[in-house]
Amino acid sequence: MSEAGGGRGSGSPVPQRAPWSLVAATAALCLVSATSVGTAVAAPMSREEKQKLGNQVLEMFDHAYGNYMEHAYPADELMPLTCRGRVRGQEPSRGDVDDALGKFSLTLIDSLDTLVVLNKTKEFEEAVRKVLRDVNLDNDVVVSVFETNIRVLGGLLGGHSLAIMLKEKGEYMQWYNDELLQMAKQLGYKLLPAFNTTSGLPYPRINLKFGIRKPEARTGTETDTCTACAGTLILEFAALSRFTGATIFEEYARKALDFLWEKRQRSSNLVGVTINIHTGDWVRKDSGVGAGIDSYYEYLLKAYVLLGDDSFLERFNTHYDAIMRYISQPPLLLDVHIHKPMLNARTWMDALLAFFPGLQVLKGDIRPAIETHEMLYQVIKKHNFLPEAFTTDFRVHWAQHPLRPEFAESTYFLYKATGDPYYLEVGKTLIENLNKYARVPCGFAAMKDVRTGSHEDRMDSFFLAEMFKYLYLLFADKEDIIFDIEDYIFTTEAHLLPLWLSTTNQSISKKNTTSEYTELDDSNFDWTCPNTQILFPNDPLYAQSIREPLKNVVDKSCPRGISRVEESFRSGAKPPLRARDFMATNPEHLEILKKMGVSLIHLKDGRVQLVQHAIQAASSIDAEDGLRFMQEMIELSSQQQKEQQLPPRAVQIVSHPFFGRVVLTAGPAQFGLDLSKHKETRGFVASSKPYNGCSELTNPEAVMGKIALIQRGQCMFAEKARNIQNAGAIGGIVIDDNEGSSSDTAPLFQMAGDGKDTDDIKIPMLFLFSKEGSIILDAIREYEEVEVLLSDKAKDRAAILKGKMIPSYIINSNPEMENEEQPSSENDSQNQSAEQIISISQAVDLVDQESPEESSLNSHPESLSPADSDDAASLSPSEQTSNPTEDHETTSLDGECTDLDNQLQEQSETEEDSNPNVSWGKKVQPIDSILADWNEDIEAFEMMEKDEL
């Protein structure tokens, strides 16, 4: 049975959740009130249009793969903005992201089987020869065991699987003699030392040359790993054992899965995100289907498909029942606490959960798959891409998008299961957005911020391994593929493993260990894989009927509207107090707080603290209301802080040969023309002399009517702005003087004035780090005249280039022009919010002499030190002050149902401490001292804002 199959099935019953499930319940209830329009099914797509879109996918792949081979190979990845390869150690560290790089030509290996799927057999044969000739797996580099397994080991095995298939067909690969398999075996043995733990869970990292714990290894001291990291090995390791006859690989992977199953939370049957590899204790006790856990569930079900072991299916069904019982709140999937699964651990979702509808298709549970997929698609239509994280009311939480393929994966499987041409239109939208917003001259660039359209110098290997594979298969008919895709299963990296492995070298004992841990009722378990051709009638009306009520879920969501508060009000009960309505001077409010176990403390400095002890609440329901109130107050306080910050801006290169396809993330200024209120500024760039802009310009004729480039340092930002303005410049871009700095690795910050009145500065000013600034400087050296657009967010290329000669591939990717004059609703709403909510922050100017690290938008005020002189002011972004006796309109929020555009967008990189100790002061006490009587719930609150993907 191929993963491509799927069928209609009945999901587990979903009981009512705890009544305080906050925005989740809000969104769900708003769904019910969403207007349903019509029942018409999308028109079938003609064979010609499908072929046209398939050919477009092929051209896009050629653009990405060709640029990697030309500009980056043999480096691991392509840097598409600077047209060079990313080599570990030669670029600024990106932290854990770099653990995927091992100096083994990662992108080439990850792309091997994609070449065959896309009918590029000649290129595949050449690529295999390059891998065998050039790739070295014995490098002195520390890599992620998880990433190396799914990308490199999986890539080698997928390449081997299709190489032997082509060899059997007789035209290509006749010289092949299992060389890729031998490389895979060599790599497998290099990964085995990671499993040398008492639990059998692998270390998260290993040195390819020196292994674990040796002095030269620089690894082996870690204690924690993620559940997905330890539980996403069985397909590749079992395939390696089945291909080679060496059983040790499958044995080690099975042992890790057995241990994770044994350590699940027995009452909820959920697993946490992070586990101690030595003790088996859960380090992070929140549970979901996204980052940190996702592929663990995927591999349990697919291990049953590939290996035929019933215990894997029984485990998956047990977990799936828990997911549908506690985590699934259609169309949302929200993390919960494993010990108290009726309590949400987050108010946001991450992009990695987009794979889950595809897994539900394989399970045969189509209805919730359609619902969640539709919600995700509406978020994409709102932001062009799926943000790395977004809130339950569909605001951006983390604004990056590294060209993840999970949504395309689910789109493909849903089309296979339903036959609904709607999903072909979804795929068409994905293609258009990639060409329109992510395509750059040297490939496709990840989105730094989906709100501004700015780019990151990054094109991950999974983009070629998965995105183009799923998009091509979506539009391809059976005869378009040179082999039967139904004979293979997809790994989590979309590598292909043949299903005939299930009957090869079955030397591993299939003892059903599941029943040793728990007594399970398997009466509702599906013991076979659904088949789309038999169980599912490919009836598009079925998918349409499920999807239609969700049509307006994003645009019509109520961020803080209808919830169980209003439900209880309709039933006659008095609704609980909401944070937005709270007034510290209202005796009735204080009495309600007391009933919920919340105490109000007036501090000597005039600030107010709220403390909750759940055991002091009048009832368990009141305690839950108290928790909800505290969580709302945390969000409200955080939102007020964020409203004092300016969002990032965009610098878009619009001249030849960029044509608006390169967008750079820029820091805003607290002075000068506000790009969120005025039309963008467009002009050619010119360097000022002196370059630092700290004195009267000696080349005013060069910058007059242009956007001046200035180097950071030696004077205040406002002084630079005045000097270039006096010379006739229409705007300014300050470029960091710290060589090598980048928005990829340094937090963005906003330029402040000089402590004086800056109303005389009328031109827009933006800040670029050194790496982004170098892209403009390099373009000037190569093309002399470079034109840029300064704006609040990237503009549509068709509107930018209207009336100009445009290359055909750009025209084709922009079939419709957006209205260039349309104002930015996001920034307008920010101004409205600032008027509705009385500011309680005192902004402190940021000065040019300080480093960007100190002036970070997401730094905590308490971590920053005041400067020693008036010329170098403190860099704290804001300090909260308030008087509790003042009118607490400062905490009120509009409770009516409004369009998402009118909600203040969260900064993508802001991660603030979640703390029920709500205080309108500049310092917040630790959470432990506030909810000491409810430790497990404390952990859930802590994870709500501190989680990292």
Side-chain angles (χ1 to χ4, degrees):
M1 159 62 200
S2 166
E3 181 191 342
R8 181 183 300 178
S10 58
S12 304
V14 183
Q16 292 292 324
R17 296 181 55 80
W20 74 282
S21 58
L22 293 174
V23 193
T26 300
L29 284 165
C30 281
L31 296 185
V32 176
S33 63
T35 304
S36 179
V37 292
T39 57
V41 181
M45 185 175 287
S46 67
R47 166 73 174 163
E48 291 74 21
E49 187 173 2
K50 288 177 64 178
Q51 284 183 328
K52 181 181 177 181
L53 290 168
N55 290 335
Q56 195 168 359
V57 173
L58 293 176
E59 186 278 329
M60 293 165 66
F61 174 82
D62 289 341
H63 180 65
Y65 180 76
N67 274 285
Y68 165 74
M69 296 304 297
E70 179 181 354
H71 297 292
Y73 183 79
D76 283 317
E77 290 179 347
L78 169 69
M79 300 171 67
L81 297 183
T82 50
C83 300
R84 67 178 193 270
R86 184 181 295 278
V87 179
R88 187 88 172 263
Q90 294 184 14
E91 302 292 334
S93 173
R94 300 175 298 169
D96 292 347
V97 176
D98 284 338
D99 287 345
L101 311 181
K103 299 181 180 179
F104 36 36
S105 301
L106 174 63
T107 298
L108 180 61
I109 292 177
D110 224 358
S111 304
L112 287 178
D113 51 8
T114 303
L115 290 165
V116 182
V117 172
L118 271 56
N119 268 333
K120 298 181 180 294
T121 47
K122 183 178 179 180
E123 292 88 340
F124 170 73
E125 192 159 5
E126 294 172 354
V128 172
R129 292 186 185 276
K130 283 186 171 67
V131 170
L132 300 179
R133 183 188 69 218
D134 300 336
V135 172
N136 178 22
L137 297 175
D138 197 39
N139 300 311
D140 180 12
V141 59
V142 176
V143 297
S144 162
V145 173
F146 165 73
E147 296 288 0
T148 304
N149 173 64
I150 65 171
R151 300 203 206 188
V152 185
L153 184 59
L156 292 171
L157 292 172
H160 170 70
S161 299
L162 297 190
I164 58 178
M165 178 272 298
L166 290 173
K167 185 176 181 179
E168 288 177 1
K169 285 182 175 291
E171 184 177 355
Y172 294 96
M173 303 300 294
Q174 295 305 301
W175 55 270
Y176 182 71
N177 193 28
D178 295 350
E179 288 88 350
L180 290 177
L181 180 59
Q182 296 309 311
M183 288 186 68
K185 187 175 181 180
Q186 176 192 358
L187 180 60
Y189 278 117
K190 285 184 172 295
L191 296 178
L192 283 184
F195 293 82
N196 188 21
T197 60
T198 55
S199 66
L201 299 178
Y203 283 96
R205 299 174 185 85
I206 194 169
N207 188 299
L208 287 177
K209 188 177 184 68
F210 298 108
I212 294 285
R213 288 193 172 277
K214 294 180 182 178
E216 307 93 332
R218 306 185 304 280
T219 187
T221 59
E222 300 94 339
T223 59
D224 305 331
T225 194
C226 71
T227 300
C229 300
T232 310
L233 300 159
I234 186 64
L235 291 187
E236 293 82 2
F237 272 50
L240 184 57
S241 287
R242 303 293 175 98
F243 272 130
T244 64
T247 61
I248 187 172
F249 304 108
E250 185 172 343
E251 290 170 355
Y252 273 61
R254 281 176 175 265
K255 183 179 179 182
L257 277 180
D258 290 346
F259 190 83
L260 287 173
W261 169 253
E262 184 177 2
K263 291 298 179 180
R264 76 194 185 284
Q265 211 290 321
R266 298 305 175 85
S267 60
S268 67
N269 282 321
L270 295 172
V271 291
V273 173
T274 308
I275 190 170
N276 186 295
I277 60 176
H278 302 295
T279 65
D281 295 332
W282 291 110
V283 179
R284 276 187 45 187
K285 300 178 182 179
D286 49 321
S287 184
V289 298
I293 305 179
D294 49 1
S295 48
Y296 163 69
Y297 296 132
E298 178 184 4
Y299 269 38
L300 283 178
L301 182 54
K302 291 181 178 179
Y304 166 69
V305 175
L306 184 65
L307 306 178
D309 188 337
D310 289 351
S311 67
F312 291 129
L313 180 61
E314 191 172 356
R315 295 178 193 183
F316 172 79
N317 281 329
T318 302
H319 285 314
Y320 187 78
D321 178 74
I323 290 169
M324 300 309 291
R325 186 182 302 274
Y326 304 120
I327 295 172
S328 177
Q329 303 176 53
L332 309 180
L333 292 163
L334 286 178
D335 284 20
V336 299
H337 195 286
I338 61 175
H339 292 92
K340 296 197 174 184
M342 303 304 285
L343 299 180
N344 292 126
R346 286 182 184 173
T347 57
W348 50 271
M349 295 170 280
D350 64 69
L352 286 171
L353 62 78
F355 91 100
F356 197 67
L359 185 64
Q360 289 179 307
V361 170
L362 181 58
K363 157 72 175 172
D365 201 0
I366 302 295
R367 174 178 288 275
I370 293 173
E371 291 173 337
T372 298
H373 180 276
E374 179 62 18
M375 177 269 293
L376 295 171
Y377 182 44
Q378 291 190 38
V379 174
I380 289 174
K381 289 193 290 186
K382 191 77 179 176
H383 302 292
N384 300 320
F385 296 98
L386 195 62
E388 196 73 334
F390 54 96
T391 63
T392 50
D393 52 355
F394 311 112
R395 292 176 292 133
V396 172
H397 186 71
W398 293 335
Q400 304 95 324
H401 173 72
L403 307 182
R404 293 200 185 277
E406 284 78 14
F407 181 78
E409 174 186 358
S410 289
T411 302
Y412 164 64
F413 291 129
L414 273 169
Y415 177 64
K416 291 284 289 185
T418 65
D420 189 346
Y422 176 84
Y423 296 109
L424 297 178
E425 296 297 331
V426 172
K428 182 179 179 181
T429 300
L430 297 181
I431 291 174
E432 290 173 349
N433 287 351
L434 285 171
N435 276 323
K436 192 173 181 179
Y437 302 110
R439 185 166 183 149
V440 295
C442 283
F444 291 85
M447 307 306 296
K448 181 74 175 178
D449 192 315
V450 298
R451 298 165 299 182
T452 64
S454 58
H455 290 138
E456 191 174 353
D457 202 4
R458 170 182 180 184
M459 189 178 81
D460 289 85
S461 68
F462 55 66
F463 182 60
L464 283 84
E466 301 184 65
M467 181 69 81
F468 296 114
K469 193 176 293 175
Y470 287 124
L471 287 178
Y472 182 76
L473 289 172
L474 177 63
F475 297 105
D477 289 330
K478 194 168 186 178
E479 55 268 25
D480 295 328
I481 308 171
I482 61 175
F483 64 97
D484 190 351
I485 200 74
E486 298 289 335
D487 291 337
Y488 296 82
I489 191 169
F490 291 93
T491 70
T492 194
E493 191 78 3
H495 294 306
L496 297 173
L497 299 177
L499 292 173
W500 54 258
L501 288 174
S502 61
T503 59
T504 304
N505 293 326
Q506 298 186 56
S507 56
I508 304 298
S509 170
K510 289 189 177 181
K511 180 182 178 183
N512 189 332
T513 55
T514 300
S515 58
E516 294 181 3
Y517 304 125
T518 183
E519 292 295 329
L520 295 172
D521 176 14
D522 64 0
S523 59
N524 294 319
F525 288 175
D526 296 325
W527 290 98
T528 59
C529 286
N531 185 303
T532 59
Q533 318 242 322
I534 299 174
L535 296 182
F536 203 86
N538 286 75
D539 179 10
L541 283 173
Y542 175 73
Q544 176 76 6
S545 65
I546 298 173
R547 194 172 55 242
E548 199 63 40
L550 307 176
K551 196 172 187 67
N552 302 306
V553 53
V554 172
D555 287 334
K556 300 299 182 183
S557 64
C558 303
R560 287 175 177 80
I562 302 175
S563 68
R564 86 112 168 170
V565 177
E566 283 76 4
E567 282 189 299
S568 62
F569 183 75
R570 293 192 190 107
S571 66
K574 194 168 186 178
L577 180 64
R578 308 305 299 264
R580 64 172 181 261
D581 302 322
F582 171 68
M583 295 181 62
T585 55
N586 188 320
E588 184 179 358
H589 288 183
L590 297 179
E591 187 62 30
I592 295 174
L593 289 188
K594 183 178 179 181
K595 188 178 180 182
M596 295 189 298
V598 179
S599 303
L600 184 144
I601 303 173
H602 293 274
L603 302 180
K604 293 181 180 179
D605 58 5
R607 292 180 293 125
V608 173
Q609 286 184 348
L610 298 177
V611 180
Q612 190 203 25
H613 293 282
I615 58 175
Q616 297 178 4
S619 68
S620 60
I621 296 296
D622 291 314
E624 291 177 353
D625 286 339
L627 280 174
R628 173 199 46 77
F629 176 83
M630 298 295 283
Q631 184 174 354
E632 287 182 351
M633 193 62 78
I634 294 166
E635 294 173 349
L636 185 59
S637 179
S638 298
Q639 184 178 11
Q640 289 176 339
Q641 292 181 26
K642 290 167 187 168
E643 285 168 359
Q644 307 307 317
Q645 303 171 353
L646 298 177
R649 304 299 187 208
V651 176
Q652 192 169 9
I653 308 179
V654 298
S655 54
H656 171 82
F658 303 96
F659 299 111
R661 290 178 294 151
V662 172
V663 186
L664 307 173
T665 300
Q670 295 177 349
F671 55 86
L673 183 71
D674 186 349
L675 293 171
S676 68
K677 298 179 182 178
H678 301 81
K679 189 176 179 180
E680 69 277 352
T681 297
R682 177 171 177 166
F684 289 92
V685 295
S687 296
S688 62
K689 293 183 180 179
Y691 190 30
N692 60 31
C694 290
S695 59
E696 182 179 350
L697 267 59
T698 60
N699 64 334
E701 69 288 345
V703 301
M704 181 172 293
K706 297 182 179 179
I707 296 171
L709 302 179
I710 329 158
Q711 188 178 44
R712 184 186 186 189
Q714 301 184 34
C715 65
M716 310 293 281
F717 289 118
E719 185 178 348
K720 298 175 188 288
R722 291 189 179 98
N723 287 331
I724 64 171
Q725 180 176 269
N726 292 338
I730 60 173
I733 298 175
V734 179
I735 298 177
D736 195 10
D737 58 345
N738 180 17
E739 187 174 354
S741 66
S742 167
S743 63
D744 295 348
T745 55
L748 197 66
F749 74 103
Q750 52 185 307
M751 299 181 291
D754 52 6
K756 306 173 185 176
D757 186 1
T758 56
D759 290 343
D760 60 315
I761 302 175
K762 306 297 184 182
I763 61 174
M765 294 289 293
L766 296 181
F767 176 88
L768 290 178
F769 284 109
S770 171
K771 179 181 174 183
E772 286 77 10
S774 295
I775 294 174
I776 294 181
L777 296 175
D778 290 343
I780 293 176
R781 282 190 284 270
E782 186 167 355
Y783 304 106
E784 293 186 3
E785 290 195 338
V786 174
E787 189 179 14
V788 301
L789 189 72
L790 311 184
S791 59
D792 62 325
K793 63 190 300 184
K795 304 303 178 183
D796 179 73
R797 291 185 213 140
I800 290 173
L801 301 172
K802 189 175 183 180
K804 297 188 178 182
M805 293 297 294
I806 311 174
S808 60
Y809 61 82
I810 295 183
I811 295 176
N812 292 336
S813 67
N814 292 271
E816 299 178 359
M817 293 186 181
E818 295 178 0
N819 186 355
E820 189 179 15
E821 303 297 329
Q822 184 176 351
S824 170
S825 58
E826 293 174 355
N827 290 289
D828 289 345
S829 68
Q830 194 167 13
N831 298 326
Q832 294 169 6
S833 298
E835 294 171 357
Q836 294 169 358
I837 303 177
I838 300 174
S839 173
I840 56 175
S841 300
Q842 181 180 355
V844 181
D845 286 343
L846 308 184
V847 296
D848 193 17
Q849 286 90 340
E850 302 298 335
S851 68
E853 288 78 12
E854 292 176 310
S855 52
S856 164
L857 282 180
N858 62 345
S859 296
H860 295 290
E862 57 266 35
S863 67
L864 303 175
S865 302
D868 296 329
S869 66
D870 294 337
D871 294 332
S874 168
L875 297 179
S876 169
S878 63
E879 293 186 355
Q880 302 281 345
T881 57
S882 177
N883 191 319
T885 61
E886 293 178 357
D887 184 1
H888 279 264
E889 188 179 343
T890 56
T891 62
S892 87
L893 293 175
D894 187 359
E896 297 182 359
C897 192
T898 59
D899 187 84
L900 181 61
D901 276 338
N902 292 327
Q903 301 307 317
L904 182 64
Q905 297 281 357
E906 294 190 37
Q907 293 297 324
S908 64
E909 297 172 358
T910 302
E911 300 175 22
E912 299 184 1
D913 292 339
S914 174
N915 198 324
N917 184 3
V918 178
S919 168
W920 289 277
K922 63 181 179 180
K923 202 162 186 177
V924 183
Q925 293 184 358
I927 192 170
D928 318 32
S929 62
I930 300 170
L931 293 179
D933 296 322
W934 207 337
N935 292 327
E936 291 177 348
D937 294 332
I938 293 174
E939 294 172 0
F941 272 101
E942 287 175 337
M943 291 306 150
M944 200 177 306
E945 288 293 342
K946 289 185 177 179
D947 291 354
E948 294 183 1
L949 284 173

